[in-house]
Amino acid sequence: MLWLWNVLILLATVVVMEIVAALSHKYIMHGWGWGWHLSHHEPHSGKFELNDLYAVVFAGLAIVLIYVGVQGLWPLQWIGAGMTAYGALYFMVHDGLVHQRWPFRYIPRKGYLKRLYMAHRMHHAVRGREGCVSFGFLYAPPLSKLQAALRERHGRKINEDAATDQPDAARKNSRVK
């Protein structure tokens, strides 16, 4: 029966991590941690950006929790495993699907994945750290609510190309040339 508790702890941690990540994104990354996160909101040409250090910090914390859990504090290893699972989902959805940092390109045309994709595009529709919408990574509010919030806050001053389903690579290439 212990395996059931382990699975429940892991799954609960994935859910809690979405909340932690959204709050961290809004209040840390777009707050006092903007120095690292700024690199994510500007065009860049390399494979890595300073913002990737946030993933390193969370991965380090997960490793410590797994280690301490294996040493005897049982639930911590499963919390660390849940953080690791969330990190893998984040990497697939945010870095792969949304920002096209993988060698293949896929732009979802309908359903949940399109909603996630478009919500994050709208997050990047604002230049700078103020007035952004949609801070989660695996949950996205309805797109109509995000569009209304952007219009209310910025009118037509938003970065229109970031609010489309055009991938980052295509937008960057069109600016570089």
mmCIF file of all heavy atoms in Angstrom, residues 159-176:
data_model
loop_
_atom_site.group_PDB
_atom_site.id
_atom_site.type_symbol
_atom_site.label_atom_id
_atom_site.label_comp_id
_atom_site.label_asym_id
_atom_site.label_seq_id
_atom_site.Cartn_x
_atom_site.Cartn_y
_atom_site.Cartn_z
ATOM 1 N N ASN A 159 2.651 43.701 -28.232
ATOM 2 C CA ASN A 159 3.423 43.162 -29.332
ATOM 3 C C ASN A 159 2.539 42.178 -30.088
ATOM 4 O O ASN A 159 2.386 41.040 -29.690
ATOM 5 C CB ASN A 159 4.682 42.480 -28.774
ATOM 6 C CG ASN A 159 5.510 41.843 -29.850
ATOM 7 O OD1 ASN A 159 5.316 42.073 -31.039
ATOM 8 N ND2 ASN A 159 6.458 41.033 -29.423
ATOM 9 N N GLU A 160 1.925 42.613 -31.178
ATOM 10 C CA GLU A 160 0.918 41.823 -31.877
ATOM 11 C C GLU A 160 1.454 40.480 -32.367
ATOM 12 O O GLU A 160 0.760 39.487 -32.337
ATOM 13 C CB GLU A 160 0.346 42.611 -33.067
ATOM 14 C CG GLU A 160 -0.429 43.849 -32.665
ATOM 15 C CD GLU A 160 -1.731 43.549 -31.946
ATOM 16 O OE1 GLU A 160 -2.256 42.431 -32.048
ATOM 17 O OE2 GLU A 160 -2.237 44.451 -31.259
ATOM 18 N N ASP A 161 2.715 40.413 -32.842
ATOM 19 C CA ASP A 161 3.207 39.147 -33.376
ATOM 20 C C ASP A 161 3.376 38.091 -32.289
ATOM 21 O O ASP A 161 3.263 36.907 -32.554
ATOM 22 C CB ASP A 161 4.497 39.317 -34.171
ATOM 23 C CG ASP A 161 5.670 39.817 -33.345
ATOM 24 O OD1 ASP A 161 5.440 40.376 -32.263
ATOM 25 O OD2 ASP A 161 6.818 39.651 -33.798
ATOM 26 N N ALA A 162 3.600 38.491 -31.051
ATOM 27 C CA ALA A 162 3.722 37.516 -29.963
ATOM 28 C C ALA A 162 2.367 36.945 -29.578
ATOM 29 O O ALA A 162 2.298 35.883 -28.980
ATOM 30 C CB ALA A 162 4.389 38.144 -28.738
ATOM 31 N N ALA A 163 1.300 37.632 -29.934
ATOM 32 C CA ALA A 163 -0.041 37.147 -29.611
ATOM 33 C C ALA A 163 -0.603 36.262 -30.727
ATOM 34 O O ALA A 163 -1.754 35.882 -30.697
ATOM 35 C CB ALA A 163 -0.980 38.319 -29.355
ATOM 36 N N THR A 164 0.213 35.937 -31.711
ATOM 37 C CA THR A 164 -0.205 35.023 -32.780
ATOM 38 C C THR A 164 0.375 33.650 -32.521
ATOM 39 O O THR A 164 1.129 33.452 -31.572
ATOM 40 C CB THR A 164 0.293 35.513 -34.154
ATOM 41 O OG1 THR A 164 1.709 35.349 -34.212
ATOM 42 C CG2 THR A 164 -0.092 36.955 -34.391
ATOM 43 N N ASP A 165 0.067 32.717 -33.400
ATOM 44 C CA ASP A 165 0.626 31.375 -33.217
ATOM 45 C C ASP A 165 1.901 31.169 -34.023
ATOM 46 O O ASP A 165 2.317 30.062 -34.285
ATOM 47 C CB ASP A 165 -0.414 30.288 -33.522
ATOM 48 C CG ASP A 165 -0.882 30.294 -34.969
ATOM 49 O OD1 ASP A 165 -0.419 31.153 -35.742
ATOM 50 O OD2 ASP A 165 -1.701 29.431 -35.296
ATOM 51 N N GLN A 166 2.579 32.278 -34.368
ATOM 52 C CA GLN A 166 3.851 32.183 -35.075
ATOM 53 C C GLN A 166 4.945 31.817 -34.066
ATOM 54 O O GLN A 166 5.083 32.466 -33.037
ATOM 55 C CB GLN A 166 4.165 33.526 -35.732
ATOM 56 C CG GLN A 166 5.373 33.491 -36.626
ATOM 57 C CD GLN A 166 5.611 34.850 -37.274
ATOM 58 O OE1 GLN A 166 5.104 35.867 -36.820
ATOM 59 N NE2 GLN A 166 6.390 34.849 -38.321
ATOM 60 N N PRO A 167 5.735 30.763 -34.333
ATOM 61 C CA PRO A 167 6.754 30.341 -33.365
ATOM 62 C C PRO A 167 7.864 31.369 -33.186
ATOM 63 O O PRO A 167 8.101 32.200 -34.049
ATOM 64 C CB PRO A 167 7.301 29.041 -33.946
ATOM 65 C CG PRO A 167 6.791 28.934 -35.320
ATOM 66 C CD PRO A 167 5.679 29.917 -35.497
ATOM 67 N N ASP A 168 8.546 31.286 -32.037
ATOM 68 C CA ASP A 168 9.652 32.192 -31.725
ATOM 69 C C ASP A 168 10.696 32.213 -32.817
ATOM 70 O O ASP A 168 11.168 33.265 -33.215
ATOM 71 C CB ASP A 168 10.350 31.774 -30.426
ATOM 72 C CG ASP A 168 9.550 32.115 -29.203
ATOM 73 O OD1 ASP A 168 8.486 32.745 -29.337
ATOM 74 O OD2 ASP A 168 9.985 31.736 -28.108
ATOM 75 N N ALA A 169 11.083 31.054 -33.310
ATOM 76 C CA ALA A 169 12.165 30.967 -34.295
ATOM 77 C C ALA A 169 11.807 31.755 -35.547
ATOM 78 O O ALA A 169 12.639 32.480 -36.093
ATOM 79 C CB ALA A 169 12.447 29.512 -34.640
ATOM 80 N N ALA A 170 10.575 31.658 -36.015
ATOM 81 C CA ALA A 170 10.158 32.386 -37.208
ATOM 82 C C ALA A 170 10.177 33.886 -36.955
ATOM 83 O O ALA A 170 10.604 34.674 -37.803
ATOM 84 C CB ALA A 170 8.772 31.930 -37.651
ATOM 85 N N ARG A 171 9.714 34.316 -35.786
ATOM 86 C CA ARG A 171 9.711 35.732 -35.457
ATOM 87 C C ARG A 171 11.132 36.258 -35.362
ATOM 88 O O ARG A 171 11.450 37.315 -35.855
ATOM 89 C CB ARG A 171 8.978 35.999 -34.145
ATOM 90 C CG ARG A 171 7.492 35.810 -34.258
ATOM 91 C CD ARG A 171 6.740 36.228 -33.000
ATOM 92 N NE ARG A 171 7.258 35.639 -31.801
ATOM 93 C CZ ARG A 171 7.804 36.334 -30.810
ATOM 94 N NH1 ARG A 171 7.889 37.625 -30.861
ATOM 95 N NH2 ARG A 171 8.238 35.724 -29.733
ATOM 96 N N LYS A 172 12.019 35.508 -34.712
ATOM 97 C CA LYS A 172 13.406 35.947 -34.548
ATOM 98 C C LYS A 172 14.096 36.026 -35.888
ATOM 99 O O LYS A 172 14.836 36.955 -36.162
ATOM 100 C CB LYS A 172 14.155 35.008 -33.602
ATOM 101 C CG LYS A 172 13.734 35.174 -32.179
ATOM 102 C CD LYS A 172 14.394 34.162 -31.294
ATOM 103 C CE LYS A 172 13.773 34.259 -29.920
ATOM 104 N NZ LYS A 172 13.976 33.083 -29.142
ATOM 105 N N ASN A 173 13.881 35.015 -36.744
ATOM 106 C CA ASN A 173 14.511 35.019 -38.057
ATOM 107 C C ASN A 173 14.039 36.197 -38.891
ATOM 108 O O ASN A 173 14.808 36.778 -39.649
ATOM 109 C CB ASN A 173 14.238 33.707 -38.801
ATOM 110 C CG ASN A 173 14.996 32.552 -38.185
ATOM 111 O OD1 ASN A 173 15.985 32.757 -37.492
ATOM 112 N ND2 ASN A 173 14.538 31.346 -38.423
ATOM 113 N N SER A 174 12.776 36.577 -38.761
ATOM 114 C CA SER A 174 12.271 37.698 -39.546
ATOM 115 C C SER A 174 12.867 39.015 -39.059
ATOM 116 O O SER A 174 13.015 39.948 -39.823
ATOM 117 C CB SER A 174 10.743 37.756 -39.488
ATOM 118 O OG SER A 174 10.304 38.073 -38.189
ATOM 119 N N ARG A 175 13.243 39.116 -37.784
ATOM 120 C CA ARG A 175 13.864 40.328 -37.249
ATOM 121 C C ARG A 175 15.353 40.395 -37.575
ATOM 122 O O ARG A 175 15.906 41.445 -37.734
ATOM 123 C CB ARG A 175 13.695 40.394 -35.736
ATOM 124 C CG ARG A 175 12.324 40.732 -35.317
ATOM 125 C CD ARG A 175 12.301 40.942 -33.817
ATOM 126 N NE ARG A 175 10.977 40.594 -33.357
ATOM 127 C CZ ARG A 175 10.722 39.996 -32.229
ATOM 128 N NH1 ARG A 175 11.686 39.685 -31.417
ATOM 129 N NH2 ARG A 175 9.490 39.715 -31.897
ATOM 130 N N VAL A 176 16.000 39.220 -37.599
ATOM 131 C CA VAL A 176 17.449 39.174 -37.777
ATOM 132 C C VAL A 176 17.836 39.541 -39.198
ATOM 133 O O VAL A 176 18.824 40.201 -39.425
ATOM 134 C CB VAL A 176 17.996 37.775 -37.411
ATOM 135 C CG1 VAL A 176 19.455 37.648 -37.758
ATOM 136 C CG2 VAL A 176 17.772 37.514 -35.938
#
